[in-house]
């Protein structure tokens, strides 16, 4: 592929008298395609005569018809049938068709050392080949010596396989990148937001613990399969109000609503916002919220943060509530802690969970506690005691509690 570009000082004047330069770009490239020609019964084709060929079916590349010509007895009388000849011919009407070519005799043996004659590799030296008219050809009179061909792995079961690749040269003025019209970002979201804010055109109302939210059925149904089913299959036409009694108004627009009504993108947006507010004091509450409303990504981040800051998190009021109300999360947190320790054994940089319990003890004591966790059930029992209220930091490595 090649291209050229130019700029001139001509052009129109702007309103302030500045001449705006014009520009253009000429692009030349190839349209490539391939065709494989199977010659079955090679030995029977021998003897048809010098200059006579076997032709493949016509195939189209770059808007032109092409064909492969195979000469079993050669094309040149002076060679006395010592070589086979192979050519690519222009089989459709055309004048001055410029193209690059490649002819490959396929080796059918295990080594697959194909015989390749390629014009593509020499395009910089000689440029494309020009075919003047229908029937013009490119190829090799001495493509391969017959005696060598007949004793080689190119010939198998009396068959030859020839692959042809043609790259037709096409040129054009390309203005697609030089002239463009800027299209502003879609503001449909803002428009829908205004409808929601001012309630214009609303046809359904959500009553959330006495607080009412006007909305639009079609918009909600388009974004949520739950709403689609409720509005068009389950909701009576004269019932324009939906009672929501299992969540508070302040969270209706956020995570709980997104989970209940199947609004995946809204849920992820909420998770992203809450993720930025994770801290030692808030992680337990956010973890419980994420678990309740199936916020998988947010829950994973909370578990990892809590495991990395376990001692500090255990001292918060939120963790006490987590122990009382979400006992299954304790097991998940235990698995996360165990996973963190495995990462440390592989060269991780986070502080060991057991080192957090150490209260400044010596390094041997820390290593002993880490080993206790790695020993499996024994370490898990010690960690579980800390969740139950025992003082894990006061235990020695050899105690089971």
């Amino acid at each position: 592929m090649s291209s050229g570009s130019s700029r001139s000082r001509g052009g129109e004047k702007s309103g302030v008298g500045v001449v705006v330069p014009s520009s253009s770009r000429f692009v030349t490239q190839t349209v490539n395609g391939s065709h494989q020609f199977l010659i079955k019964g090679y030995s029977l084709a021998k003897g048809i005569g010098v200059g006579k060929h076997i032709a493949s079916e016509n195939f189209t590349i770059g808007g032109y018809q092409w064909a492969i010509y195979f000469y079993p007895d050669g094309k040149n009388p002076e060679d006395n049938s010592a070589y086979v000849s192979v050519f690519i011919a222009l089989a459709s009407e055309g004048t001055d068709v410029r193209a690059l070519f490649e002819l490959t005799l396929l080796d059918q043996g295990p080594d697959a050392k194909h015989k390749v004659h390629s014009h593509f590799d020499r395009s910089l030296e000689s440029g494309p080949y020009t075919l003047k008219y229908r029937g013009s050809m490119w190829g090799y009179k001495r493509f391969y010596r017959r005696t060598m061909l007949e004793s080689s792995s190119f010939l198998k079961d009396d068959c030859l396989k020839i692959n042809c690749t043609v790259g037709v040269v096409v040129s054009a003025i390309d203005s697609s990148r030089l002239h463009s019209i800027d299209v502003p970002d879609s503001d449909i979201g803002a428009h829908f937001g205004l409808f929601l804010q001012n309630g214009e055109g609303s046809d359904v109302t959500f009553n959330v613990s006495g607080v009412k939210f006007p909305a639009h059925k079609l918009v909600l149904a388009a974004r949520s399969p739950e709403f689609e089913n409720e509005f068009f299959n389950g909701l009576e036409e004269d019932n324009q109000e939906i009672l929501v009694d299992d969540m508070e108004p302040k969270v209706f627009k956020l995570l709980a609503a997104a989970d209940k009504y199947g609004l995946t993108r809204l849920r992820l947006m909420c998770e992203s916002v809450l993720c930025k507010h994770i801290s030692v004091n808030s992680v337990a509450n956010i973890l419980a919220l994420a678990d309740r409303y199936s916020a998988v990504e947010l829950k994973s981040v909370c578990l990892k943060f809590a495991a990395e800051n376990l001692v500090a998190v255990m001292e918060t009021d939120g963790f006490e509530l987590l122990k009382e109300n979400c006992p299954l999360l304790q097991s998940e947190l235990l698995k996360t802690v165990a996973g963190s320790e495995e990462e440390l054994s592989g060269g991780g940089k986070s502080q060991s969970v057991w080192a957090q319990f150490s209260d400044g003890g010596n390094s041997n004591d820390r290593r002993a506690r880490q080993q206790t966790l790695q020993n499996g059930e024994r370490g898990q029992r010690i960690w579980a005691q800390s969740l139950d209220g025992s003082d894990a930091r006061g235990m020695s490595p050899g105690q089971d509690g």
Side-chain angles (χ1 to χ4, degrees):
M1 180 188 296
S2 62
S3 63
S5 61
S6 64
R7 284 185 175 271
S8 68
R9 294 187 177 276
E12 298 181 356
K13 292 185 178 181
S14 67
V16 294
V18 178
V19 176
V20 179
S22 60
S23 63
S24 62
R25 182 170 63 178
F26 184 80
V27 177
T28 302
Q29 57 189 355
T30 58
V31 177
N32 300 336
S34 298
H35 180 83
Q36 188 174 101
F37 184 30
L38 173 65
I39 301 170
K40 193 172 183 179
Y42 161 79
S43 60
L44 299 177
K46 293 172 58 178
I48 64 173
V50 176
K52 295 184 178 181
H53 65 265
I54 299 170
S56 70
E57 288 187 348
N58 290 355
F59 51 93
T60 303
I61 298 175
Y64 296 94
Q65 292 279 303
W66 306 88
I68 302 173
Y69 289 177
F70 176 71
Y71 296 79
D73 296 326
K75 191 175 186 297
N76 188 0
E78 297 176 358
D79 291 331
N80 297 317
S81 301
Y83 294 89
V84 296
S85 305
V86 183
F87 284 81
I88 302 172
L90 178 63
S92 61
E93 297 298 332
T95 57
D96 295 332
V97 179
R98 302 173 68 239
L100 301 175
F101 303 99
E102 183 176 277
L103 285 168
T104 303
L105 182 60
L106 299 180
D107 186 347
Q108 302 180 69
D111 296 334
K113 295 181 179 179
H114 308 309
K115 178 69 173 178
V116 181
H117 292 281
S118 180
H119 190 202
F120 285 84
D121 298 336
R122 303 194 306 273
S123 60
L124 289 178
E125 300 173 7
S126 56
Y129 188 80
T130 301
L131 289 85
K132 297 291 186 180
Y133 46 83
R134 180 178 183 176
S136 298
M137 296 185 292
W138 176 93
Y140 292 87
K141 294 179 181 179
R142 296 181 176 183
F143 187 80
Y144 211 88
R145 185 177 289 273
R146 282 211 319 186
T147 54
M148 295 177 61
L149 174 64
E150 293 167 3
S151 61
S152 71
S153 56
F154 294 109
L155 182 65
K156 182 179 180 181
D157 299 330
D158 206 27
C159 293
L160 293 173
K161 293 181 180 180
I162 299 174
N163 191 75
C164 157
T165 300
V166 179
V168 178
V169 178
V170 294
S171 302
I173 294 291
D174 181 13
S175 60
S176 60
R177 298 181 182 178
L178 300 176
H179 307 286
S180 61
I181 299 174
D182 292 331
V183 178
D185 294 335
S186 173
D187 55 0
I188 188 173
H191 290 159
F192 281 132
L194 288 175
F195 275 126
L196 181 62
Q197 184 178 359
N198 58 33
E200 182 178 351
S202 63
D203 53 3
V204 67
T205 301
F206 289 88
N207 188 334
V208 186
S209 301
V211 180
K212 296 186 177 182
F213 298 88
H216 305 78
K217 289 182 182 179
L218 285 177
V219 176
L220 294 172
R223 300 293 292 171
S224 166
E226 295 292 333
F227 281 132
E228 181 182 12
N229 181 65
E230 187 166 355
F231 290 152
F232 301 118
N233 296 321
L235 189 66
E236 297 180 3
E237 291 187 6
D238 58 349
N239 185 5
Q240 304 299 318
E241 184 170 285
I242 299 176
L243 294 177
V244 181
D245 55 9
D246 57 353
M247 66 183 70
E248 299 177 10
K250 64 181 180 181
V251 300
F252 176 71
K253 297 180 182 179
L254 298 176
L255 192 58
D259 175 65
K260 179 172 181 178
Y261 297 112
L263 300 171
T264 304
R265 187 169 184 272
L266 175 60
R267 189 189 69 243
L268 289 174
M269 291 171 64
C270 295
E271 290 185 50
S272 177
V273 172
L274 290 172
C275 184
K276 298 176 183 178
H277 293 83
I278 292 176
S279 66
V280 169
N281 291 324
S282 68
V283 67
N285 293 327
I286 296 177
L287 175 59
L289 187 68
D291 182 64
R292 179 179 178 185
Y293 296 116
S294 307
V296 179
E297 300 290 339
L298 180 62
K299 181 179 177 180
S300 176
V301 174
C302 288
L303 285 170
K304 185 174 181 181
F305 181 90
E308 293 175 347
N309 302 275
L310 185 59
V311 173
V313 171
M314 288 173 61
E315 295 177 351
T316 64
D317 294 337
F319 188 79
E320 292 299 321
L321 293 175
L322 189 69
K323 287 168 55 180
E324 296 173 5
N325 301 315
C326 308
L328 292 179
L329 283 178
Q330 296 182 15
S331 176
E332 294 188 54
L333 185 53
L334 172 59
K335 293 178 182 178
T336 306
V337 170
S340 298
E341 292 296 325
E342 291 177 359
E343 290 182 3
L344 282 166
S345 65
K349 296 182 180 180
S350 299
Q351 184 188 22
S352 167
V353 172
W354 290 106
Q356 296 178 44
F357 282 120
S358 142
D359 271 350
N362 60 46
S363 59
N364 292 331
D365 200 27
R366 292 193 185 95
R367 285 195 295 271
R369 291 188 177 94
Q370 292 175 19
Q371 185 61 43
T372 301
L373 180 62
Q374 294 167 1
N375 284 339
E377 294 182 0
R378 188 180 186 190
Q380 293 181 16
R381 288 198 301 272
I382 294 175
W383 190 86
Q385 288 173 354
S386 70
L387 289 180
D388 292 336
S390 302
D391 189 1
R393 290 170 293 172
M395 292 181 179
S396 65
Q399 290 180 310
D400 269 343

